[in-house]
Amino acid sequence: MEFSWGATEVKPPDLADAIVEVTETGSSLRANKLRIVDTILESNTKLIANKNSWNDPWKREKIENMAMLLQGAINAQGKVGLKMNAPKSSLDKIIAIIPALRQPTISHLSEEGWVALEVIVKEKIVRHLIPELKRSGAEGIFEYDINKLID
């Protein structure tokens, strides 16, 4: 048995007959024409605090803040933000097709009769949603990454 540094999945068949690898999706294994023979361990992540630290109000606040930010990063996975401009006359039509977490944020533009909309949606629907938004009257549509989403 040897410890391997780096991309272990590229070592078979020349340097190894089999490997033990940590994988989330298995896509790297499949890309290297490997298959999972057996699962040794399934794991998940936990945030654990020392009891004395948890009982210290200053430290507890820091721990709770860290937990909130970590949860926000997890919540943001698979989501993106969309911003766009639209004539007020198209607003109802646009709102009807947006599957937002909540209702979109709507701001009035300096040009009379126009609004800006901002919404957070699942990334996997964007390629279908943006053309629908455009056909419904939205313009200046742009997508941006979400790093954290705090509920």
Side-chain angles (χ1 to χ4, degrees):
M1 180 184 290
E2 295 287 330
F3 186 79
S4 172
W5 294 97
T8 304
E9 65 273 10
V10 300
K11 306 222 168 141
D14 297 332
L15 300 175
D17 295 324
I19 61 172
V20 176
E21 179 73 345
V22 175
T23 184
E24 187 173 341
T25 65
S27 61
S28 181
L29 295 173
R30 287 188 298 279
N32 287 282
K33 297 180 176 49
L34 301 175
R35 65 182 172 86
I36 297 172
V37 175
D38 201 359
T39 300
I40 296 171
L41 173 73
E42 291 187 15
S43 67
N44 57 44
T45 305
K46 303 278 186 207
L47 176 61
I48 300 171
N50 173 292
K51 287 181 183 180
N52 290 335
S53 296
W54 188 250
N55 290 328
D56 179 321
W58 183 85
K59 289 181 180 180
R60 183 179 188 143
E61 181 181 356
K62 299 297 179 195
I63 294 166
E64 289 174 336
N65 289 349
M66 183 172 31
M68 179 193 316
L69 294 172
L70 289 169
Q71 188 61 54
I74 292 167
N75 292 344
Q77 289 179 335
K79 295 183 181 73
V80 296
L82 289 178
K83 278 189 157 185
M84 67 205 80
N85 295 332
K88 284 183 182 178
S89 60
S90 299
L91 198 52
D92 289 339
K93 189 174 182 182
I94 290 170
I95 290 173
I97 64 171
I98 296 176
L101 295 176
R102 301 255 190 266
Q103 292 297 315
T105 299
I106 301 172
S107 306
H108 296 280
L109 296 180
S110 58
E111 184 176 343
E112 188 66 34
W114 282 81
V115 294
L117 291 90
E118 185 169 5
V119 63
I120 296 172
V121 297
K122 292 180 181 176
E123 183 178 24
K124 65 183 179 181
I125 68 160
V126 169
R127 70 175 184 265
H128 301 294
L129 181 59
I130 288 177
E132 284 188 61
L133 292 168
K134 179 69 176 159
R135 285 191 290 273
S136 297
E139 61 182 51
I141 304 166
F142 70 92
E143 174 184 349
Y144 57 93
D145 292 332
I146 303 290
N147 295 320
K148 290 176 188 60
L149 177 60
I150 310 299
D151 290 332

